[in-house]
Amino acid sequence: MTTETKTTETTTAVTTPQAEQTRPATQEKSRMKRSDRMLLKLLLIGLISLILLIPQQIILHVVNERNATQVEAEKDVEQMWSAPQRVIGPVVRIPSKNYHKDVYLLPESLQVKGDVKTEKRHRGNFDVTVYTADLTLDGSLQLPNLSEYVDSVYDISKAEVLISLSDFRGLSENVVLRLNGNEYTMRSDKDEELGSVLCCRVPVREMQDSVSATYSVQLSLKGSESLMFLPVGNSTSVQLTSNCATPSFQGNFLPNERTVSDSGFTSTWKVLALNRDFGQSVTQWVYGDGGSHSVSMKKNEFGVMMRVPVLQYQQTTRTVKYAYLFIFLTFATVFFVEYRRQTPIHPVQYLLIGAALLVFYTLLLSFSEHIPFLWSYLIAMLMTIVLITGYLAGILKIRKTALMVGALLLLLYVFMYVLLQMETYALLFGSLGIFVILAVLMFVSLKVKWYKE
């Protein structure tokens, strides 16, 4: 017995130091295995995030496609109703003989008063704004001494008064020019410089030698999208009233006065010859920059755009661009919850959560084509949050934790909506928001013991 006891004690004395040496190695190996598993999990989550970028780009393409369909719908309505209108004139054209250019003499004054009534036309799921404008053009024609035009180059006997319009389909009544008490019925024709014009031959000798001839024209005009004017008068004034509550004033001159309300707008422009870059005698009308005796229409026109503001596609596009940020923050939150609760979440479940986040954007796009963007955003947001929260509650078996994740998603969606409504401070607010979110994630990551057993 004594011998056996001594042998056992000797064996114990020998094996105990070896066990003590083996335990740190086992602990280190276990720690490395846990660290490797965590790193592998993070790599898989990152890979899933990258994979989800593919459907994000597909959704972005669908949004752009729907926006293009809206543009096509507008073009279809324009084709059936009338195109955007540009009004130029009245001007006096004195044709040239031989192969010289005709000369266009501009009026001394031009006053335009118009009442523009807009209405919505539907094309599929899309609304297109068209308008009917009752315009009155009046003023005076005071031409220079015409002796310089009465020679072998110009034929003053064939002088005409022209009014140029973009689309003659918009005319709903015959047009009559009243000049010094006389009436002249205008006809449609083609001009080499101005394109489609209304014209009538008039005795221009009545308008020379400092004698002012008054004129007046009534136009009942249909159009779509925009109504533009060219300041051809030595003094040009345009006064418009409309029931359009969403005007966008365009061109080289903004209104001197304007009032916009829910019931419509009123606007007044006044442009002098000193404000434009062409004189009272013109030989060429161009759309780009021209020479010293040419008129650049694009550079000098002004007016108003009246259309349904299609903002939902721009807002949806901006929202989709934040998709990766949402996926990253949601995955980071779920990962930290998984770590704290020691409840393993499979990569496939991460993939399903990411898919639910992307479905939000398709819901938003679909609803926004039928109801206002705010309500579309709220409905899509609530559906997504309820889906993800319920799914996490089923995985974690802890309702409180799932509700915390849902509350975080709610804050993110509210932050994104506020960001969408900003224009001037969007970049500043977005940068500050991302900084705060990053700071919170860094603080939470401090609680993670990455090499703990």
Side-chain angles (χ1 to χ4, degrees), residues 237-256:
S237 65
V238 176
Q239 182 178 345
L240 297 179
T241 60
S242 175
N243 62 342
C244 177
T246 57
S248 176
F249 300 105
Q250 304 288 321
N252 200 42
F253 304 98
L254 290 176
N256 299 81

Side-chain angles (χ1 to χ4, degrees), residues 92-140:
V92 177
R93 180 188 65 187
I94 301 179
S96 65
K97 300 177 182 179
N98 303 323
Y99 297 100
H100 291 79
K101 285 185 173 294
D102 297 347
V103 65
Y104 300 82
L105 305 178
L106 309 187
E108 180 65 20
S109 64
L110 170 63
Q111 293 89 37
V112 180
K113 292 183 179 179
D115 182 26
V116 185
K117 292 182 173 62
T118 61
E119 56 181 295
K120 291 182 181 179
R121 294 299 175 96
H122 302 283
R123 189 72 171 173
N125 294 329
F126 308 105
D127 293 331
V128 181
T129 299
V130 297
Y131 64 81
T132 302
D134 293 322
L135 303 177
T136 301
L137 286 67
D138 55 35
S140 62

Side-chain angles (χ1 to χ4, degrees), residues 93-237:
R93 180 188 65 187
I94 301 179
S96 65
K97 300 177 182 179
N98 303 323
Y99 297 100
H100 291 79
K101 285 185 173 294
D102 297 347
V103 65
Y104 300 82
L105 305 178
L106 309 187
E108 180 65 20
S109 64
L110 170 63
Q111 293 89 37
V112 180
K113 292 183 179 179
D115 182 26
V116 185
K117 292 182 173 62
T118 61
E119 56 181 295
K120 291 182 181 179
R121 294 299 175 96
H122 302 283
R123 189 72 171 173
N125 294 329
F126 308 105
D127 293 331
V128 181
T129 299
V130 297
Y131 64 81
T132 302
D134 293 322
L135 303 177
T136 301
L137 286 67
D138 55 35
S140 62
L141 290 165
Q142 185 175 339
L143 303 185
N145 191 334
L146 296 178
S147 59
E148 59 181 293
Y149 301 108
V150 184
D151 53 24
S152 59
V153 177
Y154 296 100
D155 189 354
I156 196 172
S157 64
K158 294 182 180 179
E160 293 181 313
V161 172
L162 308 181
I163 297 177
S164 173
L165 301 174
S166 300
D167 191 347
F168 275 18
R169 294 175 305 150
L171 290 172
S172 55
E173 295 180 5
N174 290 326
V175 180
V176 175
L177 171 69
R178 294 174 178 83
L179 182 65
N180 275 351
N182 298 317
E183 293 187 353
Y184 301 88
T185 301
M186 306 193 78
R187 68 183 189 281
S188 62
D189 202 351
K190 283 286 186 180
D191 181 74
E192 291 184 359
E193 295 291 337
L194 290 174
S196 298
V197 295
L198 296 170
C199 63
C200 62
R201 191 168 296 180
V202 295
V204 296
R205 293 186 184 277
E206 298 179 6
M207 298 175 280
Q208 65 174 326
D209 298 330
S210 300
V211 176
S212 178
T214 60
Y215 66 86
S216 178
V217 180
Q218 300 285 335
L219 291 176
S220 294
L221 198 61
K222 295 190 301 183
S224 58
E225 188 174 337
S226 65
L227 177 61
M228 307 297 288
F229 300 91
L230 199 68
V232 294
N234 194 39
S235 173
T236 302
S237 65

